[in-house]
Amino acid sequence: REDAGAIEDEIRRHLADGKRGETLRSGLRCALVGPPNAGKSSLLNTLAARPAAIVSSIPGTTRDIVQVRLEIAGTPLSVDDTAGLRGEG
């Protein structure tokens, strides 16, 4: 009976934490967004400590999302490098 009570308490704590524990286990996601040639790919490479994305002075080099998985302070983090945002017209 004591084990059942401990399990019930653990389940209640898990349900009350707003899925925070699940989020921390599965990780966080961050997108690098901005205009062309703003340094998004350079920032991604710096965070990854390796050349994960192509860096060029030619706008439009990044066309597909480049994703790097990191761990920061024990928390998994996925960083996505995106193509530059361009104005309409």
Side-chain angles (χ1 to χ4, degrees), residues 3-86:
D3 289 340
I7 292 170
E8 181 182 357
D9 290 343
E10 180 68 25
I11 290 171
R12 288 184 190 282
R13 278 194 302 276
H14 178 71
L15 292 174
D17 81 351
K19 296 186 179 182
R20 186 181 69 211
E22 184 177 338
T23 299
L24 291 177
R25 279 188 297 282
S26 62
L28 303 172
R29 191 167 186 183
C30 171
L32 303 178
V33 191
N37 288 37
K40 298 177 297 297
S41 296
S42 295
L43 176 58
L44 182 78
N45 289 345
T46 298
L47 292 171
R50 65 182 175 87
I54 297 170
V55 176
S56 171
S57 61
I58 302 169
T61 303
T62 303
R63 293 179 182 243
D64 297 321
I65 294 174
V66 177
Q67 185 178 78
V68 171
R69 296 182 187 275
L70 308 170
E71 186 174 302
I72 297 179
T75 302
L77 174 65
S78 175
V79 182
D80 299 344
D81 181 18
T82 63
L85 299 175
R86 297 178 187 269

